[in-house]
Amino acid sequence: MHSQSAQQQNRNQSGVINNEGNTMSINDSPAIASQSPAESIQMSRRRLLLGSAGAMASVSLLGLSPLAKAAEPKTLPDYVRWKNANDVIVHSANTIETERGAIGSGVVTDSDKLYVRNNLPAPNADIVADRDAWKVTFEGVNGPQSLTLGDLKKIGVETVTTVLQCSGNGRAYYQHGPGGTQWGTGAAGCLIWTGVPLREVVAKLGGVKPGMNYITSTGGESLPAGLDPKTIMVERSIPLKALDQALLAWDMNDEPMPLAHGGPLRMVVPGYFGVNNVKYVDRVAFTEGQSDAKIQASGYRIRPIGEKGAPDQPSMWEMPVKSWVTAPLTTASQGKNLVYGVAFGGMNAVSKVEVSADGGETWKTARFLGPDMGRYAWRPFVVSMDLSAGDHRIVSRATDTEGNTQPPTRTENERGYGNTSWKDHGVTVTVS
């Protein structure tokens, strides 16, 4: 049985990917492991361990140029070997992107094509051997205590469909060459999460203490010895108002949460950027101020190019409205074509999507596909367009229910965060 002491031991092993997404060292990392959602149900293969040969193969993937990736067969790290290699781009052992054309026209993103973004190597697979034994400490409430996942399942349950998106999605389009993974559109997906509403847990624990302004979640990843934990740990603070929608989720897409995506338990904050959806969450504290961990204090901040991160800069919290085209991407036949894409409103539902085949000179309203799965989910869209021979710049722009419209240009910033520019996300299609 997985014990709390074993859970804490995950913090004392080596292997670091820093909070800005750059590789520091994974040579001494613990075994990285996961289970596919299907394996979690069938129990046919309990673990996939990353051995020394696999670790070296993963290291060789770090920093590959786009040309090198195109020329070499795709190799998935063992902990995500269950994913569909044809639908993803492997940037590094801890950063894997969904191919732009792999999304399709459905609302929910299949788990085997969902992107991966880990700030630290995943803990050992032992933590999902007995999921219900996982413990979470709750602080800043009137009745602080530790509860197991089994305990949480008895408090309440809710399901919500949300967009999960990395703060750096769209970074590849910035011209100043920001550091970090060069994501195109594929650091995003739309998932179904099931778990207990945090507000119900708080109610059971007597409510939030007066004077608390933030929800601070701490991840249970392994931390190397000899380094200041605050410089590498995943600990994020978000405004207390997020208590209304926050979820402690144990299922993703109706299957037990895969280790690669935060199993056995993940904080899910609908409408917020992915970094706030803390994986392997083992501490939830209501705090007066924001965490002083580097990932919060200076990381994931919108700052001018050339400046360092600081606590007074805007944090990557709520997501704005955004869309992009998913087909066609490179070529099309002359005449009538169906143009597909996805759109979401972040904190609000998306209300409208327009598509242009001439770079934004003229626009045509698209229609939504599939069911509306709530304000935090994305809406696949389609529009019929008559395309003449030649090159066409196809772009899309979305508007949310509050009247916020996707902007034509990006907000320039050092780390290349929060790119919603419809110009950047367009595609040039050759029609013949």
Side-chain angles (χ1 to χ4, degrees), residues 135-195:
K135 287 186 179 180
V136 185
T137 300
F138 293 90
E139 302 172 9
V141 291
N142 289 310
Q145 62 176 291
S146 293
L147 298 172
T148 66
L149 176 51
D151 295 330
L152 293 173
K153 288 180 177 179
K154 298 174 184 177
I155 296 175
V157 62
E158 224 172 68
T159 295
V160 62
T161 304
T162 77
V163 171
L164 181 70
Q165 179 184 215
C166 179
S167 302
N169 199 32
R171 177 183 288 137
Y173 305 119
Y174 282 83
Q175 300 302 304
H176 70 281
T181 302
Q182 298 302 298
W183 305 108
T185 63
C190 189
L191 293 309
I192 300 173
W193 310 96
T194 297

Side-chain angles (χ1 to χ4, degrees), residues 87-366:
D87 288 338
V88 298
I89 302 164
V90 180
H91 291 286
S92 76
N94 283 352
T95 52
I96 299 169
E97 179 172 356
T98 306
E99 289 275 10
R100 184 165 183 157
I103 292 298
S105 58
V107 178
V108 178
T109 304
D110 292 340
S111 301
D112 65 359
K113 64 180 67 172
L114 178 64
Y115 82 100
V116 175
R117 168 67 175 103
N118 289 333
N119 283 280
L120 291 166
N124 190 280
D126 287 348
I127 69 172
V128 292
D130 183 0
R131 292 171 178 267
D132 283 356
W134 182 259
K135 287 186 179 180
V136 185
T137 300
F138 293 90
E139 302 172 9
V141 291
N142 289 310
Q145 62 176 291
S146 293
L147 298 172
T148 66
L149 176 51
D151 295 330
L152 293 173
K153 288 180 177 179
K154 298 174 184 177
I155 296 175
V157 62
E158 224 172 68
T159 295
V160 62
T161 304
T162 77
V163 171
L164 181 70
Q165 179 184 215
C166 179
S167 302
N169 199 32
R171 177 183 288 137
Y173 305 119
Y174 282 83
Q175 300 302 304
H176 70 281
T181 302
Q182 298 302 298
W183 305 108
T185 63
C190 189
L191 293 309
I192 300 173
W193 310 96
T194 297
V196 59
L198 182 58
R199 63 182 183 275
E200 293 190 18
V201 179
V202 169
K204 183 176 178 63
L205 299 179
V208 177
K209 284 186 175 181
M212 301 297 117
N213 301 310
Y214 297 93
I215 305 169
T216 298
S217 303
T218 307
E221 291 98 334
S222 306
L223 301 183
L227 294 177
D228 180 359
K230 292 291 185 178
T231 65
I232 55 176
M233 68 190 302
V234 178
E235 185 173 87
R236 288 287 296 177
S237 299
I238 58 176
L240 183 61
K241 65 180 181 179
L243 180 61
D244 289 341
Q245 71 259 34
L247 193 75
L248 290 169
W250 52 75
D251 279 2
M252 185 181 86
N253 287 353
D254 298 326
E255 295 176 329
M257 186 82 67
L259 184 69
H261 293 293
L265 191 67
R266 180 172 189 167
M267 175 67 75
V268 172
V269 191
Y272 280 62
F273 280 102
V275 66
N276 305 290
N277 294 252
V278 175
K279 301 183 182 78
Y280 325 109
V281 61
D282 65 1
R283 174 178 175 266
V284 178
F286 294 87
T287 55
E288 183 177 356
Q290 297 178 32
S291 170
D292 60 355
K294 182 179 179 181
I295 194 172
Q296 180 75 33
S298 60
Y300 292 89
R301 298 280 177 173
I302 294 289
R303 59 187 191 263
I305 296 173
E307 290 191 13
K308 294 183 178 180
D312 61 346
Q313 298 159 344
S315 188
M316 297 305 294
W317 283 335
E318 297 178 356
M319 294 188 296
V321 63
K322 188 173 182 178
S323 71
W324 59 85
V325 168
T326 58
L329 298 177
T330 55
T331 61
S333 298
Q334 187 173 351
K336 182 178 290 186
N337 283 267
L338 294 180
V339 177
Y340 293 87
V342 292
F344 56 95
M347 290 298 295
N348 306 305
V350 64
S351 64
K352 180 178 68 173
V353 180
E354 300 163 288
V355 178
S356 172
D358 52 17
E361 294 296 322
T362 60
W363 297 91
K364 186 175 182 180
T365 302

Side-chain angles (χ1 to χ4, degrees), residues 7-24:
Q7 183 171 327
Q8 293 301 324
Q9 288 172 6
N10 279 309
R11 297 184 175 279
N12 300 318
Q13 302 176 45
S14 174
V16 182
I17 302 295
N18 73 13
N19 295 328
E20 294 287 305
N22 300 315
T23 305
M24 295 170 62

